[in-house]
Amino acid sequence: MPPLMCQISRVSTLLPHFLTFFITFHICKVESALFTVVGPDQQITATVGEEIVLPCHLSPNMSAENMEVRWFEPESTNYVHLYHDGRDDFGRQMPEYKRRTEFWKDGLTVGNIPVMIFNVRPSDEGQYTCFVEDGITEEAAVIELKVAALGSNPIISVEDYQNGGIRVTCRSAEWYPEPQVLWRNAQGYRIPSLSEIKSPRANGLFETEISVVINGHSNPNLSCWIRNSLLDREKESVIHISGQFHPNPTGNRLHWKPSETTKSMYLFFFYPGNLQRELGWKRAVICPGLGQTAPPLEKEDVTLYPDTAHLYLILSQDGKSARRTDTRQDLPDNPERFDSWRCVLGHEGFTSGRNWWEVKVGVGEGGYWAVGVARESVGRKGGISFSPEEGVWAMRRCWNQYEALTAPDRTSLPLDRAPSRVGVYLDCTLGQVSFLDADTGAPIFTFPPASFAGGRIRPWFVVEKGEIRLSQRQ
């Protein structure tokens, strides 16, 4: 056969294979392109200090196990989170997201590819891209994240004489974004302020300070009103002036009381003379008996009750300390033992009188704890939302932020310093639970009065990271 005929014959023989290859390739390419990446159709709002899930999925439902999933911010060369080759890859993760993300793999087989961000910060606000590649096709969706923080309850304080009256200042912190702040009279109308300051702190959250001068012609009731427009939530505190006020008063009393949205209660007394001395009310009013106006109380010798300790807590032999461990303790899971949060109760229980104790707490990066009191009947098993409604009155430190476990929202505690020892004060008669910085005596928070009738109240602790230690009786 001539050479030319041989070449034609070989080409004819290979032609079906080439056609098969191109047809197969085309079909695979078309099939691989039959998915889109879908995100939420509206922005997501996250709360500072909490966790948020950024949803994303493939449409139609198909497995993403062998695909590459990239979560990143626009114009960033590194990733918020990267998944490929069947595993997470943290090599090029942005430093600010280290140990703060989790890629959910439970729904990979049906195309669910969300990422969770822990301990949300103001700096997390912005756009996120959910990008998926299967080797041939690339698809993406953009998610808009807004961040918000409902700050602390407004605290009203009497400052000084000024302009024929007294200057009253309202302070609050831990707000995001920048809140609206104003003074209002009893009719709800705005009162012109003397000064107003809103400033961001190092953590990106805003603190506010607004002042007004009250004179003899002022409305006897005025309130400090702060609103977060993103959350459409507000907090308000009211000050009431009892009796006729004059620029040079003799024995007039100023009483500050909380509104329904306020969690803490304080009392101010004003007398002429040494104003700063007369305003040194806090310790005695919040914790009577710990100040100079009543005989000092004897500190309780509190110990931890081993039968209630979570199986991932290690208690010391003397029952004075508890620390978190990653090794499950070989102990019976009895009905008294907590099985979700790493909690433990104090051995002692109180039904009457005034009692107080001190707890040494962690202040380093690893400190994640809560201290307070709980009813003896508090839930031990399964998911528990700790609050006064659940029988718990406590404060906690979480990711370098302090909160009182109030309901329905936690109350942010803007402390001037990180306490290394917390004093817990329990007045069973008045139904009062308060916390002090035991090193300085400064008040931290007081819960509104509650009824403690019908059972014992016991010390309550959580140790998610670090260690807590109870002080010895002195």
Side-chain angles (χ1 to χ4, degrees):
M1 182 181 295
L4 179 59
M5 293 298 292
C6 290
Q7 293 176 8
I8 293 175
S9 177
R10 292 179 62 189
V11 171
S12 300
T13 303
L14 293 175
L15 184 59
H17 298 287
F18 279 113
L19 288 175
T20 302
F21 169 78
F22 283 118
I23 291 171
T24 304
F25 176 79
H26 179 71
I27 292 173
C28 291
K29 184 174 182 180
V30 170
E31 287 183 347
S32 68
L34 293 180
F35 74 84
T36 57
V37 178
V38 181
D41 56 5
Q42 58 186 1
Q43 70 181 28
I44 296 175
T45 300
T47 303
V48 171
E50 301 295 330
E51 58 273 351
I52 188 67
V53 175
L54 302 182
C56 187
H57 68 274
L58 303 183
S59 179
N61 296 341
M62 62 179 64
S63 176
E65 290 179 296
N66 297 319
M67 298 183 184
E68 180 172 302
V69 181
R70 310 176 203 166
W71 281 92
F72 60 89
E73 295 180 353
E75 301 179 2
S76 175
T77 58
N78 291 332
Y79 302 113
V80 173
H81 199 100
L82 174 62
Y83 169 87
H84 68 95
D85 297 331
R87 62 183 181 84
D88 299 308
D89 184 349
F90 299 103
R92 292 180 58 188
Q93 188 175 39
M94 299 172 67
E96 54 267 38
Y97 291 97
K98 291 288 187 183
R99 296 183 295 278
R100 292 180 55 228
T101 62
E102 180 179 347
F103 181 64
W104 284 9
K105 303 180 182 65
D106 294 347
L108 272 175
T109 56
V110 292
N112 287 328
I113 47 176
V115 68
M116 174 180 280
I117 301 177
F118 298 95
N119 186 25
V120 171
R121 306 168 181 173
S123 58
D124 294 336
E125 188 170 79
Q127 290 187 337
Y128 293 80
T129 299
C130 175
F131 177 93
V132 181
E133 179 183 3
D134 67 353
I136 300 174
T137 303
E138 300 176 352
E139 294 288 338
V142 176
I143 293 91
E144 181 80 19
L145 177 65
K146 291 290 185 181
V147 175
L150 192 66
S152 60
N153 295 314
I155 300 298
I156 300 175
S157 60
V158 179
E159 300 294 323
D160 206 348
Y161 289 110
Q162 188 167 340
N163 300 333
I166 61 167
R167 180 165 57 92
V168 179
T169 298
C170 174
R171 297 180 177 88
S172 184
E174 306 297 309
W175 292 84
Y176 192 86
E178 184 177 312
Q180 180 185 2
V181 187
L182 52 87
W183 287 101
R184 302 196 300 187
N185 61 20
Q187 291 73 42
Y189 294 112
R190 182 171 184 170
I191 300 174
S193 59
L194 177 68
S195 64
E196 181 177 335
I197 300 173
K198 300 176 188 175
S199 55
R201 304 176 69 176
N203 60 4
L205 302 180
F206 286 88
E207 58 184 8
T208 70
E209 180 179 307
I210 186 170
S211 299
V212 68
V213 171
I214 303 174
N215 54 44
H217 304 289
S218 298
N219 192 302
N221 296 287
L222 69 155
S223 65
C224 175
W225 180 86
I226 307 180
R227 182 174 184 269
N228 184 311
S229 57
L230 182 60
L231 296 175
D232 194 23
R233 298 282 302 279
E234 62 190 48
K235 291 192 174 184
E236 186 173 20
S237 296
V238 178
I239 185 171
H240 173 71
I241 307 171
S242 61
Q244 183 67 28
F245 176 81
H246 299 284
N248 294 299
T250 56
N252 286 328
R253 175 179 294 178
L254 295 180
H255 174 59
W256 180 88
K257 61 181 181 179
S259 67
E260 293 181 357
T261 58
T262 304
K263 305 299 191 300
S264 53
M265 182 175 294
Y266 299 97
L267 191 66
F268 286 91
F269 293 96
F270 176 84
Y271 300 97
N274 189 336
L275 183 61
Q276 294 299 319
R277 176 177 58 81
E278 299 298 342
L279 289 179
W281 53 273
K282 294 184 179 179
R283 179 170 180 146
V285 172
I286 293 182
C287 299
L290 296 183
Q292 302 301 317
T293 59
L297 297 176
E298 183 177 0
K299 183 166 60 178
E300 301 291 343
D301 191 18
V302 172
T303 56
L304 302 175
Y305 187 31
D307 288 351
T308 66
H310 190 277
L311 292 175
Y312 282 84
L313 288 182
I314 295 180
L315 274 54
S316 62
Q317 290 288 338
D318 61 1
K320 284 292 186 178
S321 69
R323 63 181 176 87
R324 158 80 181 269
T325 177
D326 293 328
T327 303
R328 178 186 172 95
Q329 303 301 292
D330 186 16
L331 296 169
D333 188 10
N334 56 59
E336 293 184 285
R337 194 179 304 281
F338 290 93
D339 71 353
S340 55
W341 290 80
R342 287 157 179 81
C343 303
V344 60
L345 291 177
H347 199 283
E348 295 70 26
F350 307 100
T351 58
S352 62
R354 295 178 295 168
N355 313 274
W356 76 286
W357 55 92
E358 290 182 2
V359 187
K360 186 177 181 181
V361 291
V363 296
E365 289 296 324
Y368 187 164
W369 47 260
V371 298
V373 300
R375 296 188 186 277
E376 192 166 46
S377 59
V378 67
R380 315 291 175 89
K381 307 297 183 181
I384 306 171
S385 177
F386 294 117
S387 66
E389 284 73 13
E390 299 291 335
V392 173
W393 293 261
M395 63 166 288
R396 76 170 186 177
R397 180 183 191 266
C398 175
W399 305 110
N400 298 324
Q401 297 184 29
Y402 295 85
E403 296 175 327
L405 301 185
T406 50
D409 301 310
R410 298 170 185 140
T411 299
S412 178
L413 303 175
L415 305 183
D416 295 331
R417 64 184 298 274
S420 61
R421 291 186 301 133
V422 174
V424 182
Y425 174 83
L426 169 66
D427 190 323
C428 294
T429 303
L430 296 179
Q432 188 178 54
V433 179
S434 302
F435 302 93
L436 298 173
D437 183 333
D439 294 319
T440 65
I444 295 177
F445 185 80
T446 295
F447 278 89
S451 174
F452 292 153
R456 292 199 302 171
I457 303 297
R458 297 170 65 175
W460 176 86
F461 311 88
V462 174
V463 190
E464 286 294 332
K465 289 186 179 180
E467 179 181 9
I468 60 102
R469 176 171 292 277
L470 292 158
S471 298
Q472 299 283 349
R473 175 182 288 172
Q474 296 178 347

